[in-house]
């Protein structure tokens, strides 16, 4: 699966995680489809527009949101503690138009396992997670925190702004954005330390009726300056725009 799909799914997963709480669905399954336009920071890559299915399952303890699993260990008075399994990054170098990028090694898919804690109250929702790559591609740790606040504009319309911070260990940063010794005859070796990325997003949900809802989402990620300085990166940000329709059983 190419990096555009993976990056888009990651954002959709986090969005659906919040919407599963605010939607107050009476059943556990939701099916739908979405159109996504997303950019990649790697040099020589273009924006992609994709059509993707969306499947969610909300059980008493186990939840499936896209390609992410969440097993709830504790739920008490707005506090949730869970174990999580979620996909990470990847980059197929053949997606670039530049020969120098195509000659690099692919950055393969990572899979992160770890724990997540969230707290929901009148001021919004705060989420923090700590995960580690269990496949051994990035072979490092990732720490994320996010704040979102639902604003009910009308009986049928809800707006959810959010901001977040993502800390990647040096192993992850180097694997995805660095250039290893001897990897390229064009680019000099480039090594990174740990990196910090910032996210800001808006999610809009419209309840058509009891079962159907339509959604729109925009997400902006500001990349760490060390990532921007990498010779294989040509922008300091990435964006994703999504529109979807979902049916809850």
């Amino acid at each position: 699966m190419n990096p555009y799909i993976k990056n888009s799914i990651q954002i959709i997963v986090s969005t659906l995680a919040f919407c599963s709480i605010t939607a107050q669905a009476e059943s556990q399954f939701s099916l739908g489809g979405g159109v996504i336009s997303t950019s990649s920071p790697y040099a020589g890559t273009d924006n992609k527009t994709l059509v993707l299915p969306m499947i969610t399952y909300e059980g008493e303890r186990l939840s499936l949101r896209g390609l992410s699993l969440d097993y709830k260990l504790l739920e008490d008075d707005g506090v949730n503690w869970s174990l999580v399994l979620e996909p990470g990054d990847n980059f197929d170098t053949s997606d670039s138009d530049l020969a120098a990028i195509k000659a690099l090694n692919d950055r393969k898919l990572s899979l992160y396992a770890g724990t997540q804690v969230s707290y929901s109250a009148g001021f919004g929702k705060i989420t923090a997670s700590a995960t580690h790559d269990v496949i051994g591609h990035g072979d490092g740790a990732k720490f994320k925190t996010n704040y979102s606040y639902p604003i009910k504009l009308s009986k049928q319309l809800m707006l959810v702004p959010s901001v977040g911070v993502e800390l990647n260990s040096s192993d992850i940063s180097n694997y995805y954005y660095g250039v290893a010794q001897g990897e390229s005859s064009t680019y000099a070796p480039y090594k990174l330390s740990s990196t910090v990325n910032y996210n800001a997003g808006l999610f809009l949900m419209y309840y058509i009726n009891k079962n159907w809802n339509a959604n729109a989402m925009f997400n902006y990620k500001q990349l760490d300056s060390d990532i921007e300085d990498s010779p294989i990166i040509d922008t300091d940000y990435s964006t994703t725009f999504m529109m979807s329709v979902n049916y809850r059983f």
Side-chain angles (χ1 to χ4, degrees):
M1 188 178 292
N2 70 45
Y4 305 104
I5 296 178
K6 288 297 180 186
N7 292 339
S8 300
I9 289 178
Q10 283 183 284
I11 299 172
I12 293 172
V13 164
S14 61
T15 303
L16 290 176
F18 184 79
C19 293
S20 65
I21 297 175
T22 60
Q24 296 181 347
E26 296 179 358
S27 59
Q28 297 176 322
F29 287 99
S30 175
L31 297 176
V35 177
I36 301 167
S37 177
T38 182
S39 65
S40 170
Y42 291 95
T45 56
D46 298 321
N47 290 4
K48 292 286 187 178
T49 299
L50 305 164
V51 178
L52 294 175
M54 298 182 183
I55 303 174
T56 64
Y57 167 77
E58 297 291 335
E60 183 177 352
R61 289 190 176 273
L62 182 65
S63 299
L64 169 67
R65 307 179 185 104
L67 299 179
S68 178
L69 285 173
D70 182 301
Y71 184 79
K72 195 174 299 179
L73 299 174
L74 173 68
E75 181 178 17
D76 181 49
D77 198 23
V79 176
N80 284 276
W81 175 37
S82 59
L83 301 177
V84 293
L85 184 68
E86 58 187 18
D89 302 315
N90 79 324
F91 176 54
D92 186 342
T93 56
S94 65
D95 288 332
S96 175
D97 296 330
L98 302 180
I101 298 293
K102 292 179 182 289
L104 299 174
N105 299 325
D106 288 338
R107 274 55 175 169
K108 298 181 179 180
L109 173 69
S110 52
L111 184 65
Y112 294 94
T115 185
Q116 176 176 284
V117 177
S118 66
Y119 178 67
S120 300
F123 59 81
K125 179 182 179 182
I126 299 174
T127 302
S129 66
T131 58
H132 194 281
D133 179 35
V134 294
I135 295 182
H137 293 154
D139 198 25
K142 184 185 292 285
F143 304 91
K144 295 188 295 184
T145 183
N146 185 80
Y147 169 74
S148 57
Y149 183 79
I151 304 171
K152 195 168 184 178
L153 301 177
S154 70
K155 184 177 180 180
Q156 294 176 285
L157 190 62
M158 179 177 290
L159 176 67
V160 187
S162 64
V163 292
V165 179
E166 174 188 276
L167 171 63
N168 296 314
S169 69
S170 58
D171 289 332
I172 293 176
S173 302
N174 275 302
Y175 181 77
Y176 289 104
Y177 304 111
V179 180
Q181 182 74 39
E183 181 182 8
S184 173
S185 59
T186 304
Y187 303 119
Y190 184 78
K191 189 175 179 63
L192 299 87
S193 57
S194 59
T195 55
V196 180
N197 301 321
Y198 300 92
N199 298 278
L202 285 174
F203 184 85
L204 190 67
M205 174 181 284
Y206 180 73
Y207 298 91
I208 300 172
N209 56 38
K210 179 180 177 181
N211 300 104
W212 288 94
N213 63 74
N215 310 307
M217 182 272 294
F218 176 77
N219 188 85
Y220 175 90
K221 176 183 282 190
Q222 180 66 49
L223 301 175
D224 190 281
S225 59
D226 285 348
I227 296 177
E228 180 188 0
D229 291 340
S230 172
I232 65 175
I233 300 298
D234 65 1
T235 182
D236 64 349
Y237 70 92
S238 64
T239 60
T240 297
F241 176 75
M242 180 271 290
M243 295 185 67
S244 68
V245 177
N246 301 280
Y247 180 83
R248 290 186 177 273
F249 294 89

